[in-house]
Amino acid sequence: PGSGRRRLGRTVARGARVTAPLAGRRVLVTRALEDATEWADRLSALGAEAVILPCIRTEVLDDAATRARLAAALRDAAWLCIMSPRGADAVARLAGSLPPALRLAAVGSGTAAAVVSAFGRKPYVAHGATSRALGEELVRELRTEGAPPQRVVVASSAGGRRDAEEALGRGDIAVTRVDVYRTIPAARASAPRDLAREGIGAVLLASPSAVQGLLNQAAFPGAARIFTIGPTTTAAVVAAGLSVSGQATHPDLDSLVEAMQ
């Protein structure tokens, strides 16, 4: 009694009835429009009132040069590391089917699900759920297997962090990075939204670009609490002169909700 296990959408506890852990909270979702509805629906199931303000948009780098660069990189690669669900979608669009022998790796469960959806293959998933962890864990995996020198392709976003490549490089793994999409912050609004007047009590931020997009579109209420999906986003919030109330332990909505409770 008194101990329980949390699941997204409900609280499970022995001897207690199911409750809505975010009841009465008004939460701002800042993801791209195509992704925001899923989070809003899941937050609503927790009792929150979700408000969508798309602060970024993503764009696949769908040009002949990127397609050729990706095809050439994959031709003799042993592994393909995919850093986000958007990256999985972009690779599927640019490359189509992948070489049968190519092994896949993903950052976190959300990206892994996108990889399975795009390619019908279950990837290796980093336990640490960060790009640095993926690189470090893949180095250990290759050493454990006693594999000969292999080349790894990292499919990422333009301007994104290079933690995975650096970790692989330190492990003497040959790496080719191919940027397959870019994230664009929302443009500056002529009349910023007043989030304090809208009663926003919590803001969810999942990328540095979303931080900039939020500041471009809204007057940030001092009373609102910011929750970030990971250290890179936290650093962007701090650099913007704002404070972070909580950071997810894993890059997914489940962990963000845990940080909010």
Side-chain angles (χ1 to χ4, degrees):
S3 66
R5 183 161 56 92
R6 296 189 186 278
R7 292 180 181 173
L8 187 61
R10 60 178 179 172
T11 299
V12 181
R14 293 179 182 176
R17 64 184 179 85
V18 174
T19 60
L22 299 183
R25 302 181 67 172
R26 195 166 168 82
V27 180
L28 189 72
V29 179
T30 61
R31 301 184 85 197
L33 184 59
E34 59 268 28
D35 301 319
T37 301
E38 178 192 356
W39 275 24
D41 289 345
R42 296 170 73 191
L43 289 166
S44 296
L46 293 168
E49 183 179 354
V51 178
I52 294 175
L53 177 62
C55 291
I56 59 170
R57 64 182 178 88
T58 57
E59 181 177 83
V60 177
L61 299 176
D62 193 355
D63 55 74
T66 301
R67 285 177 176 269
R69 189 158 50 249
L70 181 60
L74 294 177
R75 195 167 295 129
D76 62 348
W79 285 84
L80 168 63
C81 294
I82 297 180
M83 317 311 286
S84 69
R86 192 64 62 219
D89 295 341
V91 170
R93 178 170 166 181
L94 296 171
S97 61
L98 298 176
L102 182 69
R103 300 177 69 179
L104 305 180
V107 176
S109 58
T111 302
V115 168
V116 172
S117 176
F119 304 109
R121 302 192 204 174
K122 191 173 182 179
Y124 173 88
V125 183
H127 299 292
T130 66
S131 57
R132 183 181 302 279
L134 178 59
E136 292 172 346
E137 292 173 24
L138 192 52
V139 169
R140 290 196 293 270
E141 178 79 7
L142 292 173
R143 287 175 177 168
T144 299
E145 293 178 351
Q150 300 185 54
R151 195 166 59 77
V152 176
V153 174
V154 175
S156 192
S157 63
R161 294 177 67 91
R162 308 186 70 89
D163 293 347
E165 299 97 297
E166 291 170 0
L168 289 162
R170 288 193 297 271
D172 295 324
I173 306 297
V175 185
T176 300
R177 175 186 172 121
V178 181
D179 292 333
V180 294
Y181 74 100
R182 62 183 166 214
T183 302
I184 304 169
R188 186 171 298 278
S190 57
R193 286 174 61 165
D194 187 340
L195 299 184
R197 179 168 293 183
E198 294 185 33
I200 300 297
V203 177
L204 306 185
L205 289 165
S207 70
S209 297
V211 177
Q212 185 59 57
L214 174 65
L215 296 176
N216 284 348
Q217 293 190 94
F220 192 81
R225 303 173 70 199
I226 296 176
F227 298 91
T228 65
I229 206 162
T232 304
T233 306
T234 293
V237 172
V238 172
L242 302 172
S243 61
V244 174
S245 295
Q247 177 183 294
T249 55
H250 298 284
D252 53 38
L253 182 57
D254 302 65
S255 295
L256 274 172
V257 169
E258 289 176 2
M260 294 172 68
Q261 297 179 359

